[in-house]
């Protein structure tokens, strides 16, 4: 699936990323091996998902809470025809990603600083994305409140999660129904060594999100939909 040239690009990403990570704390994976496995290879299983494979030229994908740029950057490298937007509330992380994007000459990545609770009401972003992704951002019920407003009707939210998800899934029932996000697929994958088995959860947004969501800054986390 990943040819040699792409693999080289992904290793270059790790080199440039680790230089930035030495200046700004972006990730706990500080060796090339750990960073490749734990950040790059953990981002790529999304390429096996039909909804990602169907993305056409000009479709847009938003990565919420992109932090140091995962899954944003590996996916942007592998899917140059798709428009990628990385969003985070911390400007200095986005500045670091901006330098990585420049070093790799990525033409399909934009960065937006702000809180999901605010940007989710901004017409420039609301209901504008075919796919919204989130890795290590929040529990499902909170992540769906952040992500659903940005997603187009019939678009998808993809969450990176561990295999121990029973309780979190149960606690997301109200959010799923209130935000019209239905779990349509789970995709399990394995990474080597201590990383083990993980999964991607794919939700389909079936109707428009009510104007009351997302709620004000801090509220989704403090009072998750339960
Ligand atoms: N997705 C990355 C980073 C995870 S850390 C990875 O998997 O490596 C979570 C990130 O989400 C942090 O960078 C934090 O600044 C951002 N974040 C948390 N809440 C947010 C919110 N409400 N709006 C925007 N960004 C948020």
């Amino acid at each position: 699936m990943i040819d040699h040239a792409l693999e080289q690009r992904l290793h270059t990403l790790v080199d440039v990323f680790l230089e930035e990570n030495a200046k700004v704390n972006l990730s706990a994976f500080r060796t090339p091996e750990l960073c490749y496995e734990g950040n790059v290879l953990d981002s790529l299983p999304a390429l096996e998902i039909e909804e990602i494979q169907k993305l056409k030229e000009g479709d847009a994908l938003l990565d919420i809470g992109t932090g140091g740029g995962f899954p944003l950057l590996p996916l942007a490298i592998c899917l140059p025809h798709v428009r990628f937007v990385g969003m985070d509330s911390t400007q200095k992380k986005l500045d670091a990603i901006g330098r990585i994007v420049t070093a790799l000459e990525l033409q399909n990545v934009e960065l937006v600083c702000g809180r999901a609770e605010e940007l989710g009401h901004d017409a420039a972003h609301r209901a504008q994305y075919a796919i919204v992704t989130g890795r290590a951002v929040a529990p499902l019920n909170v992540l769906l409140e952040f992500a659903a407003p940005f997603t187009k009707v019939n678009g998808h939210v993809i969450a990176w999660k561990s295999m121990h998800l029973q309780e979190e899934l149960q606690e997301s029932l109200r959010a799923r129904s209130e935000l019209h996000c239905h779990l349509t697929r789970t995709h399990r994958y394995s990474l080597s060594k201590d990383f083990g088995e993980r999964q991607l959860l794919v939700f389909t947004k079936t109707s428009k999100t009510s104007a009351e969501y997302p709620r004000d800054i801090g509220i989704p986390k403090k009072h998750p939909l339960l």
Side-chain angles (χ1 to χ4, degrees):
M1 179 182 60
I2 300 288
D3 66 20
H4 183 67
L6 263 185
E7 204 178 322
Q8 287 301 111
R9 296 266 288 153
L10 294 167
H11 281 288
T12 305
L13 165 64
V14 167
D15 293 343
V16 179
F17 177 83
L18 287 177
E19 278 173 34
E20 286 299 330
N21 201 34
K23 296 182 254 171
V24 184
N25 187 18
L26 301 170
S27 165
F29 301 137
R30 297 184 181 281
T31 65
E33 295 72 26
L34 283 175
C35 184
Y36 194 75
E37 189 82 20
N39 287 329
V40 174
L41 294 186
D42 191 43
S43 297
L44 297 185
L47 299 175
E48 289 153 26
I49 288 181
E50 204 180 305
E51 289 79 359
I52 293 264
Q53 290 170 352
K54 280 189 189 152
L55 288 172
K56 300 181 300 295
E57 182 91 39
D59 280 344
L61 182 152
L62 173 72
D63 187 32
I64 292 189
T66 192
F70 298 102
L72 175 78
L73 296 173
L75 296 181
I77 288 170
C78 295
L79 302 170
H81 60 292
V82 174
R83 202 182 126 229
F84 281 83
V85 179
M87 179 180 289
D88 204 280
S89 51
T90 306
Q91 184 66 53
K92 72 176 191 327
K93 292 187 182 181
L94 293 180
D95 291 344
I97 304 184
R99 292 190 290 270
I100 298 169
V101 165
T102 304
L104 292 174
E105 298 181 340
L106 285 172
Q107 307 294 326
N108 59 334
V109 177
E110 292 157 47
L111 301 169
V112 179
C113 188
R115 298 281 302 226
E117 297 94 317
E118 279 184 330
L119 291 167
H121 290 285
D122 179 338
H125 297 287
R126 191 171 177 93
Q128 297 299 308
Y129 298 90
I131 307 262
V132 179
T133 55
R135 186 184 86 151
V137 178
L140 271 178
N141 47 18
V142 180
L143 181 67
L144 288 174
E145 184 168 350
F146 288 166
F150 293 108
T151 311
K152 289 184 174 183
V153 172
N154 298 322
H156 308 280
V157 177
I158 304 181
W160 269 244
K161 290 289 172 187
S162 74
M163 297 307 293
H164 311 286
L165 207 64
Q166 202 102 2
E167 202 178 323
E168 209 178 305
L169 265 179
Q170 184 68 29
E171 289 180 349
S172 71
L173 283 170
R174 165 122 192 273
R176 284 189 260 163
S177 103
E178 185 75 12
L179 299 159
H180 314 293
C181 287
H182 303 287
L183 182 60
T184 40
R185 186 190 302 280
T186 59
H187 177 73
R188 293 179 174 204
Y189 59 97
S190 292
L191 299 176
S192 68
K193 300 173 204 133
D194 300 335
F195 291 102
E197 215 185 353
R198 300 174 176 222
Q199 59 184 331
L200 299 180
L201 304 186
V202 183
F203 298 87
T204 303
K205 171 170 152 176
T206 54
S207 345
K208 211 173 149 193
T209 309
S210 157
E212 71 186 281
Y213 299 114
R215 289 168 292 162
D216 289 347
I217 287 184
I219 304 294
K221 254 189 180 149
K222 203 168 166 197
H223 301 290
L225 290 169
L226 278 175

